[in-house]
Amino acid sequence: MSKIVILTGAGISAESGLGTFRDEGGLWAQHRIEDVATPEGFARDPDLVHEFYNARRAQSRAAQPNAAHFALAKLQKEHRGDIVLVTQNVDSLHEAAGAQNVCHMHGFLDGALCSSCDTRWPAPPVMSKTRQCPSCNAQTTRPDIVWFGEMPYHMETIYHHLSEADLFVAIGTSGNVYPAAGFVQEAALSGADTLELNLEASATISQFAQAEFGKASEIVPNWVETILR
Ligand code: APR
């Protein structure tokens, strides 16, 4: 049976009320990336960065998965081949919809990390620079989020899955940020078919063999039904 590797982006969570980054009025229109999503920004003003992620964590925890999240969880359960779900998103809506083994390549809001000893633990609702690491007690805790300039997580595993994919599907991502934006080429080079499901054409649309445009809550369940038929 076919192995399908799926990459999701902020667009899959848009209809759950979580803002995307580059759409009109998106997160990067409200905050400077260099201030809230880089190690330098965190070193310069940890309070500002914690405030930014505390607000996103609260919003993310209050959000509900939408039909697209549920459809991918159903695909994982019912597809007879392998389904590998990689997300750039830091919300936990895939898990809330019942998905398993979600690969969070950019980390996740529900995780906390100690910059001194690399210990990870479940993030409290509100993080601050004075919070001590539960393991080494240093006051060097940060959200377990991959910032610009840092290496995304699980890259080796992701490239391995891409090399074995029969189909690569990108859902709700603008294709602006590497290495995720390069996955379609990796998969195609290994002979995979490629499909983009998005509200509008991404920056890498020309590298996809097929595309369907529309709201994720509509086109993702429809696509899943065709696969499970
Ligand atoms: N249904 C489907 N797609 C949607 C919807 C929707 N309802 N709403 C928006 N989209 C699409 C947009 O057309 C766009 O292509 O989702 C995409 C969102 O793009 P971005 O805001 O750039 O988000 P993303 O691609 O996930 O960003 C990648 O950039 O800033 C970093 O780390 C951050 O993980 C993020 C990465």
Side-chain angles (χ1 to χ4, degrees):
M1 261 324 273
S2 61
K3 174 167 186 171
I4 306 175
V5 178
I6 299 167
L7 171 72
T8 62
I12 199 168
S13 297
E15 291 162 87
S16 296
L18 298 183
T20 59
F21 294 95
R22 294 172 184 84
D23 288 325
E24 184 74 24
L27 280 167
W28 297 149
Q30 304 160 41
H31 307 272
R32 284 166 18 112
I33 288 178
E34 48 275 34
D35 290 342
V36 295
T38 61
E40 298 77 11
F42 185 62
R44 199 167 44 244
D45 189 347
D47 291 327
L48 174 71
V49 175
H50 276 305
E51 195 184 309
F52 176 66
Y53 287 100
N54 288 339
R56 291 183 64 197
R57 186 174 305 107
Q59 217 198 11
S60 162
R61 288 182 175 177
Q64 296 299 318
N66 63 57
H69 296 105
F70 285 111
L72 294 185
K74 179 180 182 205
L75 181 67
Q76 245 187 0
K77 282 192 194 79
E78 298 179 12
H79 181 57
R80 286 196 303 281
D82 262 353
I83 297 290
V84 177
L85 183 49
V86 180
T87 187
Q88 298 171 94
N89 299 341
V90 292
D91 63 58
S92 299
L93 293 179
H94 282 302
E95 291 85 348
Q100 314 275 325
N101 311 316
V102 180
C103 179
H104 282 271
M105 64 180 288
H106 289 166
F108 65 142
L109 288 163
D110 289 337
L113 167 66
C114 174
S115 326
S116 303
C117 71
D118 259 356
T119 296
R120 286 179 164 82
W121 66 96
V126 176
M127 290 189 76
S128 73
K129 69 181 177 190
T130 54
R131 209 168 253 276
Q132 289 177 296
C133 166
S135 173
C136 74
N137 295 322
Q139 289 184 341
T140 52
T141 63
R142 57 174 275 183
D144 191 7
I145 298 275
V146 176
W147 286 325
F148 284 89
E150 295 182 324
M151 178 54 80
Y153 296 149
H154 314 300
M155 291 310 297
E156 213 174 302
T157 306
I158 293 169
Y159 283 122
H160 167 70
H161 287 306
L162 291 171
S163 70
E164 292 184 341
D166 297 296
L167 173 61
F168 172 72
V169 187
I171 302 174
T173 180
S174 63
N176 278 301
V177 176
Y178 286 80
F183 290 173
V184 54
Q185 193 172 38
E186 282 298 318
L189 284 175
S190 305
D193 202 353
T194 54
L195 168 66
E196 172 168 294
L197 300 177
N198 214 26
L199 191 60
E200 56 201 22
S202 74
T204 50
I205 184 66
S206 60
Q207 297 171 41
F208 285 86
Q210 306 163 62
E212 265 176 66
F213 299 116
K215 289 183 173 179
S217 64
E218 292 161 14
I219 62 175
V220 175
N222 291 344
W223 170 70
V224 166
E225 286 317 309
T226 63
I227 295 292
L228 295 178
R229 209 168 281 154

